[in-house]
Amino acid sequence: TAEDEAVPVQHAYLLAQALAAHAVPHALHVFTEGEHGLGLAEGRGATEQWSRLAADWLLARGW
């Protein structure tokens, strides 16, 4: 999340840039709120979407 104090959100942006530079399929969703280590984020507002987004992305790629 953007407010994660343990790991700066810039790390996610840099990873996405590196993946894009090497044509590696990826998706990046940065949620505004949420501390580090949300797990599945059940009952945590918008961040709760991440597991469904990840599952959909993997399914679309044959996993």
Side-chain angles (χ1 to χ4, degrees):
T1 66
E3 69 179 15
D4 184 343
E5 293 182 11
V7 179
V9 69
Q10 289 79 6
H11 292 195
Y13 298 144
L14 291 171
L15 175 59
Q17 285 179 317
L19 292 170
H22 295 280
V24 176
H26 65 284
L28 176 65
H29 303 277
V30 177
F31 295 97
T32 305
E33 300 172 344
E35 70 277 359
H36 186 79
L38 289 170
L40 295 177
E42 293 174 344
R44 301 288 193 120
T47 55
E48 188 172 24
Q49 299 174 63
W50 89 260
S51 58
R52 182 76 251 156
L53 290 167
D56 290 346
W57 189 87
L58 290 168
L59 288 170
R61 279 146 192 82
W63 288 83

